[in-house]
């Protein structure tokens, strides 16, 4: 129980660092679209990019996930004004609960794109780490359909894995996507034998882990996410 609580606190610290990074990235890459007014019911990609992150509500983030209940048929996926593009409709398919404005669901996906774009502009590792850790709702769907320019980040994230327990990891050298203190790891072989562990007492801020052949389980804590070095 104590270990689980400690792990939750460390993960929370890493997530807090990501939130802080999102907060300081208040200016989008186009140099000023953040000054836009509050979004309308019908929202375009450019308009969504101008919505500050602090206007994204938990409810809108949840709406970016595929709906588990009755959904609007594709024929009724229309905004109050204007129209959706083919890619926007593809994203909305099966995602809009009945009696909900599809533009609000689209906005949630666009906000996910906005966050990944802003974060990547300041720190690509932080953006990739957020994708690996699952900190951005429905990014796997939103990026290919709503902001395909960010797909290389998604592809890179697919080569890594999140902090915690990893079964049968591929041997090699990996780097932790955090500079916070407290990142530790172990590579375990048959019967839980420790094959390698780290970091040492004089470890640098950037932690790397060398996973040897024969590793059955890789366990890390406080490391946020891992990428091949």
């Amino acid at each position: 129980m104590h270990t689980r609580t400690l792990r939750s606190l460390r993960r929370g610290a890493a997530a807090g660092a990501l939130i802080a990074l999102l907060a300081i990235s208040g200016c989008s890459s186009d140099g000023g679209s953040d000054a836009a007014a509050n979004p309308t019911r019908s929202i375009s990609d450019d308009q969504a990019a101008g919505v500050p992150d602090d206007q994204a509500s938990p409810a809108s983030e949840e709406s970016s996930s595929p709906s588990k209940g009755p959904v609007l048929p594709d024929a009724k996926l229309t905004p109050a004004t204007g129209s959706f593009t083919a890619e926007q409709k593809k994203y909305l398919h099966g995602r809009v609960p009945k009696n909900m404005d599809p533009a609000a669901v689209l906005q949630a996906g666009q906000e996910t794109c906005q966050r990944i774009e802003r974060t990547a502009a300041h720190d690509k590792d932080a953006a990739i780490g957020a994708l690996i850790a699952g900190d951005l709702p429905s990014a796997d769907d939103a990026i290919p359909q709503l902001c395909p320019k960010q797909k290389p980040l998604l592809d890179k994230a697919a080569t890594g894995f999140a902090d915690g327990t990893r079964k049968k990891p591929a041997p090699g050298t990996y780097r932790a996507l955090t500079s916070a203190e407290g990142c530790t790891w172990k590579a375990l072989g048959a019967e839980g034998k420790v094959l390698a562990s780290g970091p040492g007492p004089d470890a640098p801020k950037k932690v790397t882990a060398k996973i040897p052949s024969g590793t059955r389980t890789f366990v890390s804590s406080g490391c946020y996410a891992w990428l091949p070095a």
Side-chain angles (χ1 to χ4, degrees):
M1 187 69 174
H2 175 74
T3 301
R4 184 178 300 173
T5 302
L6 182 59
R7 184 174 299 165
S8 298
L9 289 172
R10 285 174 173 168
R11 181 175 175 79
L18 174 63
I19 292 171
L21 180 60
L22 288 171
I24 65 172
S25 59
C27 295
S28 63
S29 58
D30 62 11
S33 62
D34 292 332
N38 291 336
T40 61
R41 286 170 57 84
S42 177
I43 187 166
S44 68
D45 286 339
D46 290 338
Q47 288 171 326
V51 179
D53 288 345
D54 58 9
Q55 291 185 12
S57 66
S60 70
E61 290 186 355
E62 290 174 4
S63 69
S64 67
S65 300
S67 176
K68 296 180 181 179
V71 298
L72 284 177
D74 288 356
K76 293 188 177 182
L77 293 177
T78 56
T81 59
S83 60
F84 293 130
T85 67
E87 290 304 310
Q88 288 171 343
K89 286 184 177 180
K90 188 183 298 183
Y91 175 75
L92 292 171
H93 171 75
R95 195 177 297 273
V96 184
K98 284 188 175 180
N99 303 319
M100 187 170 184
D101 184 355
V105 177
L106 177 62
Q107 179 181 331
Q110 290 171 327
E111 286 172 351
T112 294
C113 283
Q114 175 192 11
R115 292 177 182 185
I116 198 68
E117 288 166 352
R118 289 179 173 180
T119 305
H122 288 269
D123 187 339
K124 284 190 176 181
D125 274 358
I128 294 169
L131 292 171
I132 294 172
D135 290 338
L136 294 168
S138 296
D140 286 353
D141 293 328
I143 290 176
Q145 294 164 9
L146 300 180
C147 49
K149 289 183 179 180
Q150 305 305 317
K151 196 170 182 301
L153 297 178
L154 198 61
D155 295 339
K156 188 72 173 179
T159 68
F161 53 89
D163 195 28
T165 301
R166 176 80 170 179
K167 296 290 186 181
K168 297 181 179 179
T173 302
Y174 297 81
R175 58 189 180 93
L177 299 184
T178 182
S179 58
E181 294 182 1
C183 170
T184 59
W185 60 272
K186 289 182 181 179
L188 307 176
E191 300 180 355
K193 180 182 178 181
V194 177
L195 304 180
S197 64
D202 298 322
K205 279 191 173 183
K206 296 294 185 180
V207 176
T208 59
K210 293 185 178 181
I211 302 179
S213 299
T215 298
R216 295 190 177 183
T217 307
F218 179 79
V219 181
S220 67
S221 179
C223 304
Y224 192 43
W226 296 90
L227 271 182

